[in-house]
Amino acid sequence: MNLEPFALERWQSIWENKVAWNLSESGVHPLRVEEVAITDAERQAVLAQELGYTQTNGTPELREAIAAIYPGARVEQIEVTNGGSEANCIVLWHLIEPGDEVVMMMPNYMQIRGIVRGLGATVVPWPLVEDRARWRPDLAALDRLVTPRTKIVVVCNPNNPTGARMTADELNQVCRIADRTGCWVLSDEIYRGAELDNVETATVWGRGERVIVTSGLSKAYGVPGLRLGWVAAPATLIDALWGVHDYTSIAPGAVSDRLGRIALSRRAQILARTRGIVAANYPIVRKWIEKRAPKITHVPPEAGAILFARYRHSINSSVLVERIRREKSVLIVPGDHFEMDGYLRIGFGNHPGHVASALDLVGELLDTIP
């Protein structure tokens, strides 16, 4: 299996803990353990947790808490993984065979593309359309792209890197198109819950018999260090994925499982914190972009602590972010990492002062480039 370099993750892994200012992260500023386990009883439960192997597909209590997010879901329809990335990995490892086609919404987090190609299948890009008001799915194009060779249609909702959301009607149409050939719909919903308007993004769950949701606590919940993700899918598929999980990380960490249960017990409060952060910080980035228009423009994001800004300076995006890192110690993600040169993904989930100061430094450099 030859995996192509994962440029985005390699860029962040090398530099995110070495720069002074990090605008590459797509989640909000993380919570501390003491902010998750608030009561004395919760803290004692964490400290008393035995550090042995926990239930390998997630404790029943954790899977019940996750199932409650999806209307009508049962505990046997949930598989807990080490992060949303492992959730995507085991789904693809199980379903994809050489020669398959995967129709993938683009731009997108490129993990799925890399794994699909590594497994000998073909990725068929399905580009979002950039309108003034939103990045929207072209459903007529999707209908043309899905064929009997299609194994999975992949969506990221809310979308990384644009922050766009699909509506319930659009998701229904995606599922109807997939049903025409009997392929699966895989919806990565890791940013669901981080909406700027406080209205939770529609889930694909329950809209078809061959629907898979992957998600986790990393982005909208602000606890990426727990490395807790999950798959929600039909029970027969979940049973098969549990078997795949036996070959990867086997089980989630016991402390992570415990803290995950605590976090989901106050899901509403944690998501309210996240929505407060993105609502407060987005105007900082919007005003910074408006000040530099028309050299920099963007479609307003609907969810997530990220936006995808188009720039018109005469420089490649990878070259640009390397200069920004080297000269200003600020880390930003280039559009090249999404195969869309001329764009930058800007994360704004950190403290407001951090975001504003980092953007000022980026602006200083951009002002020197024609």
Side-chain angles (χ1 to χ4, degrees):
M1 182 177 181
N2 293 317
L3 289 171
E4 59 199 52
F6 196 164
L8 168 58
E9 288 299 332
R10 184 58 23 198
W11 174 245
Q12 290 182 294
S13 297
I14 293 172
W15 298 114
E16 64 184 346
N17 293 308
K18 296 180 180 179
V19 295
W21 311 92
N22 186 8
L23 298 182
S24 73
E25 176 54 54
S26 62
V28 295
H29 190 74
L31 291 161
R32 299 186 299 274
V33 172
E34 64 184 358
E35 294 174 299
V36 176
I38 295 174
T39 69
D40 289 340
E42 290 169 346
R43 293 175 181 179
Q44 285 301 314
V46 172
L47 292 173
Q49 176 67 53
E50 288 187 352
L51 299 180
Y53 287 107
T54 187
Q55 175 71 24
T56 61
N57 60 340
T59 58
E61 296 84 0
L62 178 57
R63 285 182 287 130
E64 286 171 3
I66 295 167
I69 300 171
Y70 305 102
R74 306 183 307 276
V75 73
E76 60 266 27
Q77 294 174 303
I78 306 297
E79 172 75 17
V80 178
T81 60
N82 281 278
S85 293
E86 187 181 40
N88 289 331
C89 183
I90 64 172
V91 168
L92 298 171
W93 194 7
H94 175 66
L95 290 179
I96 295 300
E97 300 177 35
D100 284 342
E101 289 187 358
V102 172
V103 176
M104 181 172 173
M105 173 186 286
M106 294 290 286
N108 209 321
Y109 185 62
M110 298 300 238
Q111 179 212 15
I112 289 178
R113 190 189 74 163
I115 294 175
V116 168
R117 287 178 168 180
L119 290 168
T122 299
V123 174
V124 179
W126 172 38
L128 291 173
V129 178
E130 183 179 9
D131 288 340
R132 291 178 61 86
R134 65 187 288 245
W135 291 82
R136 61 173 178 83
D138 185 340
L139 295 165
L142 178 65
D143 194 36
R144 293 190 298 270
L145 294 172
V146 172
T147 73
R149 294 185 300 277
T150 305
K151 178 65 71 70
I152 307 176
V153 173
V154 174
V155 301
C156 182
N157 186 44
N159 178 256
N160 175 13
T162 67
R165 290 185 294 185
M166 296 180 71
T167 66
D169 182 62
E170 289 167 341
L171 290 170
N172 286 334
Q173 292 184 65
V174 169
C175 290
R176 283 196 293 269
I177 292 168
D179 285 346
R180 175 169 55 77
T181 62
C183 65
W184 292 89
V185 175
L186 170 59
S187 181
D188 182 342
E189 299 181 0
I190 197 80
Y191 296 94
R192 183 172 180 247
E195 296 81 11
L196 276 83
D197 63 2
N198 294 319
V199 178
E200 190 156 56
T201 303
T203 176
V204 78
W205 180 259
R207 300 180 191 278
E209 294 184 359
R210 296 170 72 81
V211 161
I212 304 165
V213 174
T214 57
S215 192
L217 298 182
S218 294
K219 304 304 180 180
Y221 294 85
V223 285
L226 293 186
R227 306 308 304 134
L228 269 186
W230 58 79
V231 185
T236 52
L237 178 61
I238 289 296
D239 189 56
L241 295 180
W242 189 4
V244 178
H245 196 184
D246 291 341
Y247 279 91
T248 56
S249 64
I250 301 177
V255 174
S256 292
D257 191 296
R258 172 73 66 176
L259 284 166
R261 282 178 263 159
I262 296 171
L264 286 172
S265 74
R266 54 177 62 93
R267 179 176 186 265
Q269 297 95 311
I270 288 177
L271 295 185
R273 169 189 180 264
T274 295
R275 290 166 177 159
I277 291 171
V278 297
N281 288 4
Y282 168 59
I284 297 172
V285 193
R286 186 191 67 231
K287 291 174 184 176
W288 180 84
I289 290 173
E290 290 172 348
K291 179 181 176 182
R292 287 168 172 79
K295 294 283 281 186
I296 304 179
T297 58
H298 79 299
V299 176
E302 300 173 87
I306 47 175
L307 60 79
F308 207 41
R310 179 195 288 264
Y311 68 89
R312 291 168 175 82
H313 301 73
S314 56
I315 186 172
N316 168 262
S317 61
S318 294
V319 175
L320 174 58
V321 299
E322 173 57 25
R323 281 194 59 186
I324 293 170
R325 182 201 63 78
R326 187 176 64 250
E327 298 177 29
K328 300 296 183 179
S329 196
V330 180
L331 199 67
I332 290 181
V333 178
D336 278 343
H337 288 178
F338 304 95
E339 292 196 342
M340 292 186 67
D341 190 23
Y343 289 82
L344 299 171
R345 191 190 76 177
I346 301 173
F348 54 87
N350 216 313
H351 298 299
H354 183 103
V355 175
S357 297
L359 287 172
D360 285 344
L361 292 168
V362 174
E364 288 177 5
L365 190 143
L366 286 175
D367 290 344
T368 69
I369 301 173

